[in-house]
């Protein structure tokens, strides 16, 4: 029996990388998945097609996060699609995965670099959670994608780590607020994962990849499915007693 039969899930940034793996995994467990994207129409269509080819159900919703009205646009599109497909705007699982990374040390981070990351990674996530929770019944799941860099210092990604540290604080605090409603809230923290976001350096040379692999307890670079499987557990009823938790999905990086 699939763990998410009859459930509806929204995955922000769900068309590529970790987000695509999560979308496909949740659909494989029976969920109807709303695959959100901002600008890459082709990637979102490919993800939905892959899900449908595997016997799952999915559809695309678009909203460019980090701009005024982003969450309103997202939920207007989501509500219309869900009402047409299910007769209701009910949502069971939110995976807030969309995010951006910009490099910068303390002295080289401009206000624009700082603000862009907080607009997408923190502010947009906050208001997407707000909208999602308003559509959830008991048993809902809020899963926030964080990063292992909130626990390990990497100076050239200072503002990025700060923007994700706020996500960890949100998960902890909302877990207490939403617990009486039977909604769990957790953050899942990937480490170095082989995705397009990391391609510029991770795939640049064998040496770079070997160095990244050596940081993990398993001696390999993570794959998107490694994170998606953790998310699928947190989304399931098996994780009903897990909330306010930071789940380290870094493969034991820098232990």
């Amino acid at each position: 029996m699939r763990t998410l039969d009859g459930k509806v899930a929204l995955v922000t940034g769900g068309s590529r990388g970790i987000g695509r793996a999560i979308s496909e995994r949740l659909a494989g467990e029976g969920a109807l998945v709303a695959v959100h994207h901002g600008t890459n129409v082709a990637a979102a269509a490919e993800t939905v097609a892959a899900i449908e080819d595997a016997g799952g159900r999915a559809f695309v919703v678009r909203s460019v996060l980090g701009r005024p009205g982003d969450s309103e646009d997202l939920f207007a599109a989501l509500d219309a699609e869900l009402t047409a497909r299910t007769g209701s705007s009910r949502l069971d699982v939110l995976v807030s995965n969309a995010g951006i990374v910009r490099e910068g040390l303390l002295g080289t981070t401009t206000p624009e670099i700082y603000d862009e990351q907080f607009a997408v990674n923190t502010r947009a996530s906050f208001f997407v959670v707000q909208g999602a929770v308003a559509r959830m019944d008991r048993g809902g799941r809020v899963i926030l994608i964080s990063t292992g860099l909130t626990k390990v210092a990497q100076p050239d990604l200072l503002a990025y780590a700060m923007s994700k540290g706020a996500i960890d604080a949100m998960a902890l605090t909302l877990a207490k607020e939403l617990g009486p409603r039977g909604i769990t809230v957790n953050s899942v923290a990937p480490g170095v994962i082989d995705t397009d976001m990391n391609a510029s350096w991770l795939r640049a040379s064998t040496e770079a990849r070997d160095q990244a692999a050596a940081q993990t307890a398993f001696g390999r670079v993570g794959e998107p499915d490694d994170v998606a499987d953790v998310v699928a557990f947190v989304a399931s009823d098996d994780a009903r007693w897990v909330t306010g938790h930071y789940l380290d999905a870094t493969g034991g990086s820098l232990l």
Side-chain angles (χ1 to χ4, degrees):
M1 181 177 179
R2 299 181 300 182
T3 62
L4 298 176
D5 277 335
K7 303 292 186 181
V8 177
L10 166 64
V11 182
T12 66
S15 65
R16 299 171 61 196
I18 292 173
R20 175 169 177 165
I22 292 170
S23 296
E24 293 181 351
R25 182 72 167 83
L26 299 186
E29 290 295 339
L32 169 62
V33 179
V35 178
H36 160 266
H37 77 100
T39 58
N40 198 327
V41 177
E46 288 172 5
T47 299
V48 169
I51 288 171
E52 292 178 340
D53 288 345
R57 299 177 301 146
F59 60 90
V60 173
V61 289
R62 180 181 183 273
S63 173
V64 179
L65 300 181
R67 300 181 181 181
D70 51 6
S71 62
E72 290 88 346
D73 292 343
L74 172 58
F75 285 105
L78 180 68
D79 288 348
E81 287 283 354
L82 286 181
T83 300
R85 293 166 183 270
T86 70
S88 167
S89 60
R90 190 195 85 246
L91 184 66
D92 301 293
V93 178
L94 167 68
V95 183
S96 182
N97 166 75
I100 59 172
V101 181
R102 301 288 184 263
E103 293 186 1
L105 297 162
L106 175 63
T108 61
T109 297
T110 64
E112 291 76 19
I113 289 172
Y114 182 96
D115 290 344
E116 183 184 18
Q117 291 180 101
F118 272 82
V120 176
N121 299 348
T122 311
R123 186 184 186 278
S125 184
F126 182 96
F127 288 104
V128 168
V129 171
Q130 185 185 77
V133 166
R135 292 160 173 80
M136 286 185 179
D137 296 329
R138 293 191 68 83
R141 299 283 186 269
V142 175
I143 304 162
L144 310 175
I145 303 302
S146 178
T147 173
L149 294 178
T150 64
K151 308 297 183 183
V152 176
Q154 186 166 332
D156 63 334
L157 294 176
L158 172 60
Y160 171 72
M162 291 171 63
S163 72
K164 289 295 191 173
I167 293 300
D168 296 340
M170 180 163 63
L172 181 65
T173 305
L174 286 183
K176 188 165 186 177
E177 177 182 344
L178 299 176
R181 289 181 52 188
I183 296 172
T184 68
V185 187
N186 294 284
S187 61
V188 174
V192 177
I193 304 296
D194 191 358
T195 65
D196 291 344
M197 181 180 288
N198 294 322
S200 62
W201 65 274
L202 187 59
R203 302 174 189 171
S205 68
T206 301
E207 181 182 6
R209 190 176 186 89
D210 288 347
Q211 288 177 349
Q215 294 180 2
T216 74
F218 302 108
R220 68 171 177 86
V221 172
E223 298 292 338
D225 286 347
D226 293 324
V227 181
D229 290 347
V230 176
V231 171
F233 163 70
V234 180
S236 75
D237 190 55
D238 289 343
R240 63 191 175 277
W241 205 237
V242 178
T243 196
H245 191 59
Y246 171 94
L247 289 93
D248 185 313
T250 68
S253 293
L254 299 176
L255 288 176

